[in-house]
Amino acid sequence: MLPLIKTNIPAKSQLMPKLEEVLYSGYVAQGDVVEEFERKFENYIGGGNTLSLNSGTAALHIALILAGVKQGDEVISTALTAEPTNVAIKMVGAKVRWADVDLSTGNISPESIEKAINSNTKAIIVVDYAGIPVNVSKIQEISKKYNIPVIEDAAHALGAKFRGKRTGNHFPFTIYSFQAIKHLTTIDGGALQILDNNLYNKGKIIRWFGLDKNISRLENDIQIQGYKYHMNNVNAAIGIVQLENIESIVQKYIENGKYLDENLKGIDGVELIEYYPDTEPSYWLYTLKVKNRDAFVKMMAENGIMASELHKRNDLHTYLNDFPADLPNLDNFYQNMVHIPCGWWVTKEDCDKMIELMKKGW
């Protein structure tokens, strides 16, 4: 079965020397190797400050804290995402206010965001779902108009671009996941890209119990709530090796995605996703809309290819559905949406097989 998602681990000859060096160095906690990973990740992103963490969820949590979201506040978000996006909102005691999606992209709708804004709105979370960048320019306009900070969940979108710049350069806070199946994995981990230097320094204190690691424990005076959210040297070592190959890894997703974009046009029962102007997806998953999704998934499985909608829409979780809302575009999009394999393990022959199967119908 051609899998929808797959973990990419560098060759032993590339990974093990660096990993063994750290494992037997006598220092495996957060240290210089973490710093090295952060600076190299910043270089890849091309801007901002990297706060490495033990998960993308920790990145979301700290981003919400730095954005000033508190108990009883509201955060506008999308229901088309993995659950951590919205679970993190509840972690700060805030409530989730849904915005609908754009029917042509599946990403959060700027118009729906603006309609959802009220006096309790303290932040907006946008998700580059499946590696497809959101409508950056319109969301930036809304953020400026209402003075509401935006948190970009780019867990699916490492390497995606808007106007030639990678995610991580467009909003005050951008989160990444380095969980096992993402473009880049540190086995488990994440990062928060922060544009403001002062907020970055505050984030470093929050991720380590509220302690400032630049001074001794005896000199510290905890003044804010902190957590044990740091990355360790072992995970960072894996990340450093992964970054050596990241350009080619991400490019493989993009090449497959563009090939499918071009060759799936005009097939009966298939509707392709649109992309916003000046954006370049990184295609963590290849997303399309199909008629009779259940039959499509069954047909693909019978031919050795995994296809799935993958994520449950979050407004179906009682705990997350603080303000039940009519989301007609999401209703329409979700019932037809499906993902097919697109990653580094997918060959041109695999792509051609999927294209031919869809041409034959289901």
Side-chain angles (χ1 to χ4, degrees), residues 38-50 193 200:
E38 290 176 339
R39 303 296 78 79
K40 288 184 174 180
F41 190 76
E42 286 169 359
N43 185 60
Y44 173 73
I45 296 300
N49 304 282
T50 299
Q193 202 72 5
Y200 171 63

Side-chain angles (χ1 to χ4, degrees), residues 196-215:
D196 183 89
N197 292 338
N198 291 330
L199 288 178
Y200 171 63
N201 289 326
K202 184 178 179 181
K204 287 199 285 188
I205 291 172
I206 293 171
R207 77 170 169 186
W208 183 250
F209 305 113
L211 295 167
D212 185 346
K213 288 181 75 70
N214 291 321
I215 58 177

Side-chain angles (χ1 to χ4, degrees), residues 178-190:
F178 305 138
Q179 188 257 350
I181 56 175
K182 297 303 193 295
H183 288 98
L184 182 154
T185 180
T186 58
I187 307 306
D188 216 346

Side-chain angles (χ1 to χ4, degrees), residues 18 22 27 31-38 233-234 236-237 240:
K18 180 68 173 179
V22 172
Y27 199 94
D32 290 345
V33 182
V34 169
E35 291 282 339
E36 181 185 352
F37 171 70
E38 290 176 339
N233 281 355
V234 179
I240 289 168

Side-chain angles (χ1 to χ4, degrees), residues 111-132:
E111 293 75 18
S112 186
I113 289 173
E114 192 159 19
K115 289 177 182 177
I117 291 172
N118 62 67
S119 60
N120 295 319
T121 307
K122 295 299 184 291
I124 300 164
I125 292 183
V126 301
V127 177
D128 303 310
Y129 186 71
I132 301 168

